Amino acid sequence: MSSTLTTRVIPTIRRPGTRAHRLLERNVMVYRRIWMVLFSGFFEPMFYLLGLGYGLGTLVGTVPG
């Protein structure tokens, strides 16, 4: 009777890092689907600034001063 009481009161000790591969696999699966969102979130403003720089730069020309 004391052995069942002990196992119910004291939880089993798990080794650290036994489920790290599952967490890594989950993160790979999640980021595999949203890589385009991360990619466009960085490069879209760069393309916008590049387009404005060359587009408006050709219309404005040189400014004296």
Side-chain angles (χ1 to χ4, degrees):
M1 179 165 155
S2 67
S3 66
T4 57
L5 180 62
T6 307
T7 57
R8 286 192 298 183
V9 174
I10 301 173
T12 59
I13 299 173
R14 294 183 184 224
R15 293 181 300 153
T18 56
R19 294 186 285 173
H21 69 281
R22 290 183 185 170
L23 180 64
L24 183 64
E25 182 181 355
R26 177 205 169 270
N27 288 342
V28 166
M29 286 175 34
V30 167
Y31 287 119
R32 183 176 53 185
R33 294 181 185 155
I34 64 168
W35 71 271
M36 192 63 169
V37 174
L38 297 174
F39 180 77
S40 68
F42 177 75
F43 285 108
E44 185 176 353
M46 292 296 167
F47 292 146
Y48 182 75
L49 290 174
L50 186 70
L52 281 177
Y54 282 116
L56 290 178
T58 58
L59 293 176
V60 172
T62 58
V63 178

